[in-house]
Amino acid sequence: GLELALASDIIIASDTATFGAPETSLAIIPGAGGTVRLPRRIGISAAKELIFTGRKIDANEARELGLVMRCRDRSRHGRGRGRDGSASDGGGE
C-alpha cells in the first residue's frame, strides 16, 4: 500500500490509516520503488528510519512528515471537513 501511495501525486488518508514498509522487517527489499520514492517525499533521515526499522506510522504522523496531504476523519459520513479544516465533497469514497 505504501509503495502504491508513493506513486500517486495526491495522497489523502483516513485518520485510521497506517503506513510502513513491512517487507523490511522480513528481510525483503521493497520492489516497487518505495526505497527511492520515500526519501524524495519525506527526506532521507525519516525514510531510513522507516525502511531500516519496519516501523509503521499513523496518518497524523504521515501528514507531519509530508507523506500525505490531508487526513480525513472517517467517523463522519457524507460531507465534512478534514483534520486540516478543508472542505470535502464526500464523493468517491
Side-chain angles (χ1 to χ4, degrees):
L2 174 61
E3 291 177 293
L4 179 61
L6 288 170
S8 303
D9 293 324
I10 299 170
I11 304 172
I12 300 173
S14 162
D15 62 350
T16 60
T18 59
F19 298 88
E23 304 94 336
T24 58
S25 63
L26 301 171
I28 301 171
I29 298 172
T35 56
V36 175
R37 291 184 178 120
L38 188 60
R40 292 177 183 167
R41 182 75 66 120
I42 66 171
I44 293 173
S45 296
K48 282 183 178 181
E49 179 192 354
L50 295 180
I51 292 167
F52 294 164
T53 65
R55 182 173 74 88
K56 292 182 181 180
I57 58 172
D58 64 18
N60 290 319
E61 185 175 356
R63 185 170 47 89
E64 290 170 6
L65 289 173
L67 178 61
V68 302
M69 299 175 112
R70 269 185 270 174
C71 294
R72 166 99 181 178
D73 185 355
R74 295 301 296 160
S75 65
R76 298 179 186 214
H77 298 287
R79 294 181 181 263
R81 296 205 170 266
R83 287 193 182 265
D84 63 354
S86 63
S88 170
D89 66 359
E93 295 179 8

